[in-house]
Amino acid sequence: GTHDPTGWASGQPLGILRSSHTTVIVDDIDRAAEFYQTVLSGVPFHETHSPRAVFIAVGINSVIELRVPESDSPEAHSLADDGAMIWSTTFLVRHVDAAAEHLAEIGVGATTTGDVLTIDRDQAFGARYAFTAEVTPGDPRGSQTGRASYRAV
């Protein structure tokens, strides 16, 4: 069959447009960013300071968020126990409220914090899935789907 991304976005009840980013928790963000840039030819395009994070475009449609967890957070405990790891996947959706409504209608527990909706881990076989309608500043993919244009920060 064929894949029509516009049909997916308009006909899928969560309103998923594309992946926003995959979060990787690390204790040495500079070393991790160097790896993503050197080995995977990633291009950093956005940084935050609380929590400390850097967003790196990898390939034409992937974004990795490298994040140093805030102390005493669930991420920090997992990092201490298990080391650096993929923490979560976040999808860009048309409307967070509509996604939350759909999940509630089908009986999937989720929590909204700020502009991010997160499925309860026990509902997702332990995985961490989140949804946002906010595009990461500087994301070379823009606000929808399609080809990216990369410019480093």
Side-chain angles (χ1 to χ4, degrees):
T2 60
H3 175 69
D4 176 7
T6 57
W8 174 262
S10 62
Q12 201 270 345
L14 285 171
I16 295 174
L17 299 171
R18 62 170 167 79
S19 168
S20 173
H21 59 277
T22 299
T23 300
V24 177
I25 56 173
V26 298
D27 57 1
D28 186 339
I29 200 165
D30 295 324
R31 191 167 151 237
E34 181 180 339
F35 170 84
Y36 276 85
Q37 291 174 75
T38 302
V39 176
L40 301 176
S41 299
V43 179
F45 65 87
H46 180 67
E47 294 183 30
T48 65
H49 299 287
S50 183
R52 184 156 183 231
V54 61
F55 290 78
I56 299 178
V58 178
I60 62 169
N61 278 318
S62 299
V63 169
I64 303 297
E65 175 197 18
L66 301 172
R67 183 191 313 163
V68 176
E70 295 180 326
S71 60
D72 206 35
S73 66
E75 294 100 328
H77 294 292
S78 287
L79 181 62
D81 292 344
D82 302 316
M85 71 179 79
I86 293 175
W87 180 256
S88 64
T89 298
T90 301
F91 294 97
L92 182 67
V93 296
R94 288 191 186 282
H95 304 285
V96 170
D97 292 343
E101 184 177 310
H102 173 68
L103 291 174
E105 285 174 2
I106 63 172
V108 174
T111 305
T112 302
T113 306
D115 63 350
V116 177
L117 171 69
T118 305
I119 293 177
D120 297 342
R121 286 184 60 205
D122 63 341
Q123 300 282 300
F125 307 98
R128 295 173 185 89
Y129 293 110
F131 306 90
T132 184
E134 300 296 319
V135 175
T136 303
D139 190 326
R141 299 168 299 174
S143 62
Q144 302 294 319
T145 59
R147 298 267 166 164
S149 169
Y150 296 110
R151 220 176 53 218
V153 288

